[in-house]
Amino acid sequence: MKILVINSGSSSIKFQLLAMEDETVLASGIVERIGEDEGLVKCTFKPGTADEAVVKQREVIKDHTSGMRLVVDFLTDKKTGVISDRSDIGAIGHRVVHGGEDFHQPTRITPEVMAAVEKNVPLAPLHNPANIDGIKVARELFADVPQVAVFDTAFHQTIPPHAYHYAIPYALYEKERIRRYGFHGTSHKFVAGEYARLVGKPLEQLNLITIHLGNGCSMTAVKNGQSVDTTLGLTPLEGLVMGTRSGDVDPAIHAFLARNCNLDIDAIDNLLNKESGLKGLCGLNDMRDIHDAIAAGDQRAKLALEVQTYRNKKYVGAYMAVLGRVDAIVFTAGIGENDEVVREKTLEGLECFGISMDLAVNDQRIKKPTLLSTSDSKIEIWGIPTNEELAIARETQAVLQK
Ligand code: ADP
């Protein structure tokens, strides 16, 4: 079966077409700057193979419907396309950011499911409306094709109440549904599953700390294969230090900024989400630029790296306490896979807890699952590339096979 994975954002649509027999990627790409003066569609056919071909097209892309139509045209193009007709697509998997408390697993899309996703818009006002647009367009263009929603929050619905409640008036949970939800669930679940597969053990018997470090960063405590705590909270702002997001701050910072810096709610929200994190500390949000700056003697860049890796370490300690026994710590995503310095500094000094990294092996970019700990480390350390599109495609297939 061929599955089309769609990740629809406010002004972009990322897509990937996979042949599930051997999980090969037939095409992947992005429609960007939807609704702007000039949009761009970029599609790579058969990426990573000898037949790889890249096609780009610039034109005005009025809305998501026009964007998706272009994707279909690209995929079915007589000369360069990889399918003859849109009916070759057996199913569509959609990334949906917020499933609230309604969705514990990927779910086939029905009118009731759409209504529940709409209900969760207040919890993810930037993301869910764009995801809904993507689903609507796909349903219009592929009326008969089964469609599945895969939620970033679903994997974390096993977190117990003592870990998901904030100590604020209970009525706010009842009325406004304020609690920890967690995000990046598809990625955490994927690498946890990959680890289980690699070591040949049932996931239900494994305790893991999975560390997703990309533009957004989060850490999850996985007990007996289930998420029992995670660093992102009501929104994707809490916890670790991210590219432009602060992670944990004293919650009173809002009142302080309002009173002393004359900032309104939107300005504070913007400051903590877009002007903070690594960028806030040193002006740079890409770890590659930060290393270049450190090499050139930039003390702020050095501080940013130290603040981020110290926060990582603090949560590793917290989750070791949460889990008791830990089988492995798994690094993934842009920084987690590519940055040996961040991995090393995150776990530095934890040898007394049975965590011992093989620094020679760690000194590489992770292209495939790699064991990074020494043979006598009590807790294994792994780098495992994440693949959210493949994860969504697998989940979609599994829902349809049920
Ligand atoms: P997202 O999916 O959240 O947009 P990614 O998981 O692709 O993000 O991670 C992007 C980040 O990964 C970049 O901002 C950069 O900090 C980091 N990154 C990518 N490549 C490298 C590299 N070679 N070395 C260090 N960091 C890298």
Side-chain angles (χ1 to χ4, degrees):
M1 191 204 308
K2 295 187 179 64
I3 294 185
L4 180 63
V5 174
I6 296 178
N7 180 353
S8 173
S10 54
S11 67
S12 72
I13 304 171
K14 290 189 198 141
F15 62 93
Q16 202 168 95
L17 181 68
L18 295 104
M20 296 311 286
E21 302 77 55
D22 51 4
E23 298 189 333
T24 49
V25 179
L26 299 175
S28 76
I30 183 164
V31 184
E32 285 177 297
R33 294 188 223 116
I34 297 173
E36 292 182 27
D37 291 346
E38 188 181 64
L40 171 71
V41 193
K42 188 178 163 198
C43 183
T44 308
F45 295 108
K46 306 196 176 145
T49 70
D51 299 329
E52 179 174 304
V54 182
V55 191
K56 285 186 199 171
Q57 191 168 313
R58 285 177 199 281
E59 65 175 77
V60 182
I61 304 164
K62 186 164 79 12
D63 51 22
H64 283 70
T65 309
S66 323
M68 267 315 291
R69 285 226 161 86
L70 285 171
V71 172
V72 174
D73 290 348
F74 270 60
L75 296 176
T76 55
D77 186 274
K78 290 271 174 310
K79 251 171 58 202
T80 50
V82 282
I83 51 174
S84 53
D85 188 80
R86 69 176 79 169
S87 63
D88 284 356
I89 294 172
I92 300 183
H94 293 270
R95 175 186 182 218
V96 179
V97 168
H98 219 306
E101 291 186 324
D102 299 294
F103 298 103
H104 296 230
Q105 50 217 349
T107 307
R108 185 147 177 183
I109 297 171
T110 61
E112 294 74 39
V113 168
M114 285 299 273
V117 175
E118 300 252 11
K119 191 187 90 185
N120 288 316
V121 164
L123 293 171
L126 297 179
H127 294 98
N128 272 29
N131 301 154
I132 291 168
D133 279 350
I135 296 173
K136 283 187 178 154
V137 172
R139 276 156 66 92
E140 199 180 300
L141 294 180
F142 300 90
D144 305 325
V145 178
Q147 314 220 6
V148 172
V150 181
F151 300 93
D152 278 17
T153 48
F155 181 55
H156 301 302
Q157 278 296 302
T158 45
I159 293 176
H162 62 257
Y164 73 63
H165 273 290
Y166 294 117
I168 56 174
Y170 196 83
L172 287 171
Y173 167 64
E174 292 176 306
K175 289 206 190 92
E176 304 294 335
R177 296 179 288 150
I178 297 177
R179 52 161 284 183
R180 175 183 311 288
Y181 289 98
F183 299 87
H184 296 145
T186 309
S187 176
H188 287 289
K189 185 178 174 189
F190 179 81
V191 296
E194 285 294 283
Y195 174 76
R197 194 176 59 77
L198 286 160
V199 297
K201 289 188 184 154
L203 183 57
E204 302 71 47
Q205 290 174 14
L206 295 171
N207 289 359
L208 308 170
I209 297 174
T210 51
I211 312 179
H212 176 111
L213 303 175
N215 251 319
C217 301
S218 66
M219 195 179 298
T220 296
V222 178
K223 187 166 195 166
N224 300 324
Q226 296 192 324
S227 172
V228 291
D229 204 352
T230 194
T231 53
L232 292 170
L234 169 71
T235 75
L237 183 60
E238 197 179 341
L240 306 181
V241 175
M242 307 176 227
T244 64
R245 291 176 248 165
S246 63
D248 292 343
V249 289
D250 182 339
I253 203 168
H254 283 79
F256 188 96
L257 289 169
R259 289 196 192 106
N260 297 295
C261 307
N262 211 13
L263 297 182
D264 65 16
I265 286 297
D266 289 335
I268 295 170
D269 212 32
N270 189 63
L271 181 142
L272 294 174
N273 277 289
K274 305 224 168 104
E275 301 298 332
S276 296
L278 299 169
K279 183 182 175 195
L281 286 166
C282 72
L284 303 165
N285 65 301
D286 191 302
M287 220 15 123
R288 289 163 287 199
D289 298 335
I290 290 177
H291 287 303
D292 289 347
I294 293 172
D298 185 329
Q299 291 304 306
R300 290 273 188 84
K302 187 162 173 275
L303 176 69
L305 175 71
E306 277 166 5
V307 173
Q308 190 194 48
T309 51
Y310 172 77
R311 182 83 51 87
N312 292 347
K313 187 192 308 240
K314 209 158 91 167
Y315 270 108
V316 168
Y319 287 171
M320 285 172 71
V322 164
L323 293 172
R325 189 198 85 231
V326 180
D327 297 301
I329 297 170
V330 180
F331 287 94
T332 196
I335 298 174
E337 291 163 30
N338 293 306
D339 199 317
E340 72 285 358
V341 179
V342 170
R343 290 194 300 261
E344 179 184 341
K345 287 181 77 66
T346 295
L347 299 181
E348 191 175 65
L350 300 183
E351 293 77 11
C352 55
F353 298 108
I355 298 172
S356 165
M357 183 176 260
D358 185 327
L359 296 180
V361 180
N362 181 54
D363 191 10
Q364 62 171 309
R365 293 174 69 179
I366 306 294
K367 298 279 173 220
K368 58 179 193 333
T370 308
L371 179 64
L372 303 172
S373 43
T374 58
S375 55
D376 62 348
S377 183
K378 286 210 187 79
I379 298 175
E380 289 183 358
I381 306 165
W382 283 76
I384 301 183
T386 193
N387 188 338
E388 287 170 274
E389 290 79 15
L390 176 59
I392 291 172
R394 282 185 185 165
E395 301 268 19
T396 300
Q397 191 174 35
V399 168
L400 298 179
Q401 281 167 350
K402 258 188 209 154

